[in-house]
Amino acid sequence: MTERKGLALITGASYGIGAELARSFAKRGHPLIIVARSHERLELLAQSISINCDQQVYIEVCDLCDPQARADMFVRLGKQKLKPVYLVNNAGIGSNGPFHTLDSHRECDQVRLNIEALVDLSRHFLPDMVANDTGGILNIASTAGFQPGPYMATYFATKAFVISFTEALAYEQRRSNVHLTAFCPGATESEFAHAAGNDTSRLFQQNVATAEAVAEAAYGAFLNQKTVAVHGWLNALSAFGGSLSPRWLTNRIAAWLNQSSNV
């Protein structure tokens, strides 16, 4: 039997990177709380993890865009005396196209999910971690967070927030045993790209990583207590090299990558 480690709560766990993160944590001995909107998908994942990793998996069906739904989830977890030692903020959505043409509700939902929910969950669970001087938060950001992103303007901006927010909290906890990591993947095979409408973009025509590879790298970066980590050397070169380029140039390159390869 795998040694039991700290309880980990993982959001957006119904598919893609989130599901693979759940498997990465479980096979290393962590019992889980998996959170998403789809009970059916969470149930299938929980069954798979229970069989293959011999770990307890708690299911939480929650629309994280909804503040009341989050509050209700906190109450349920409290009643069950479930206190995560590790929080993985993975849930996120995106969109593609000129901002003025996009659905306003989805654009606002990106801010609610990618930023507001992440802040709310972090604020709720971090105090216990600090009080116990153990645990940490893994935030799934993106290489998108290192530059503006025409045609995915809201998504890129939310991921810039995630990186900045994580770095700030990591500094605040620098003398504690609580660690925070912002992990930044590039294009990844997942339903996310199709839902965001950028699966036909130039970005997704090259160097697309598997969700499993991203999750494994994210777990490793978190374990090694890296504050900001980028998946893959090409992504790292692009992300950090972009900081040396004029903003107008990085803006133009991002716009080109975010448009369809048919344009």
Side-chain angles (χ1 to χ4, degrees), residues 226-242:
K226 294 183 178 180
T227 300
V228 177
V230 176
H231 181 239
W233 69 270
L234 281 175
N235 287 328
L237 182 64
S238 173
F240 296 112

Side-chain angles (χ1 to χ4, degrees), residues 80-182:
Q80 297 177 78
K81 300 188 185 305
L82 294 175
K83 293 186 177 182
V85 179
Y86 301 102
L87 169 63
V88 182
N89 285 309
N90 165 76
I93 56 174
S95 59
N96 184 270
F99 177 77
H100 73 282
T101 69
L102 299 174
D103 181 78
S104 62
H105 293 292
R106 186 173 179 85
E107 295 308 291
C108 290
D109 275 349
Q110 284 183 69
V111 176
R112 294 185 186 103
L113 181 59
N114 300 4
I115 294 179
E116 182 183 293
L118 180 145
V119 171
D120 194 13
L121 268 70
S122 299
R123 179 59 185 83
H124 185 82
F125 294 117
L126 184 59
D128 276 342
M129 298 177 191
V130 174
N132 296 320
D133 197 30
T134 189
I137 300 175
L138 170 59
N139 290 326
I140 303 303
S142 171
T143 53
F146 293 100
Q147 67 274 312
Y151 306 111
M152 291 191 75
T154 303
Y155 179 77
F156 274 54
T158 64
K159 291 305 180 178
F161 175 92
V162 173
I163 295 171
S164 177
F165 181 71
T166 305
E167 288 184 294
L169 297 194
Y171 181 85
E172 292 176 4
Q173 298 303 322
R174 68 193 183 282
R175 294 190 177 90
S176 77
N177 290 312
V178 177
H179 190 73
L180 294 97
T181 295

Side-chain angles (χ1 to χ4, degrees), residues 4-63:
R4 284 175 64 88
K5 297 181 180 178
L7 178 65
L9 186 150
I10 300 173
T11 68
S14 59
Y15 66 89
I17 296 173
E20 295 302 332
L21 281 165
R23 293 188 177 95
S24 293
F25 273 79
K27 71 184 181 183
R28 290 173 174 88
H30 297 272
L32 305 174
I33 303 168
I34 52 176
V35 183
R37 292 182 299 176
S38 172
H39 183 274
E40 182 179 359
R41 288 190 173 197
L42 291 178
E43 185 64 42
L44 290 173
L45 177 61
Q47 291 175 5
S48 173
I49 288 173
S50 296
I51 293 170
N52 296 315
C53 303
D54 193 25
Q55 292 298 331
Q56 178 69 52
V57 182
Y58 302 92
I59 291 174
E60 275 293 332
V61 178
C62 181
D63 180 358

